[in-house]
Amino acid sequence: MSNLLTGMSEFYNAVWLDIRQPAKHSGDGAGRYDPFRLLAVWEERIRFRQQLELMAKNKPELLDDVGLTRAQVDRETRKSFWQR
């Protein structure tokens, strides 16, 4: 039960951090928050991690070009979509 609660707490904190960031597209400067932006952020993370995994698998020599080690790529691609 403790692991479940810890996981829920980590998820809640990650969502809270993402949703509290001001939307970049709001030009009024009022510091409004866009909860729908959260879905776009999650989708972007999923896509980025999939592309990173494909790059590491198909063209591992490019990892040196972007300054990443295989261990760093493995850590990043194992993260859930809601994790930063």
Side-chain angles (χ1 to χ4, degrees):
M1 184 70 168
S2 177
N3 287 339
L4 176 64
L5 292 177
T6 300
M8 289 174 62
S9 177
E10 289 173 9
F11 176 77
Y12 174 80
N13 287 332
V15 170
W16 183 250
L17 286 173
D18 284 340
I19 210 166
R20 295 292 297 168
Q21 288 184 355
K24 294 177 183 176
H25 58 77
S26 64
D28 61 2
R32 298 179 195 269
Y33 301 103
D34 184 1
F36 296 105
R37 181 181 161 277
L38 182 62
L39 298 175
V41 168
W42 285 352
E43 182 181 11
E44 182 179 336
R45 286 181 191 154
I46 291 168
R47 193 174 326 113
F48 170 77
R49 290 174 181 155
Q50 288 171 342
Q51 290 173 347
L52 184 61
E53 189 171 25
L54 280 174
M55 181 179 69
K57 183 178 178 182
N58 297 331
K59 296 191 181 225
E61 66 275 6
L62 292 179
L63 294 180
D64 288 336
D65 292 345
V66 294
L68 294 173
T69 65
R70 182 64 194 182
Q72 289 171 318
V73 170
D74 289 342
R75 263 194 316 274
E76 184 66 28
T77 57
R78 280 195 309 262
K79 289 181 181 178
S80 298
F81 63 90
W82 50 267
Q83 292 176 311
R84 290 176 167 229

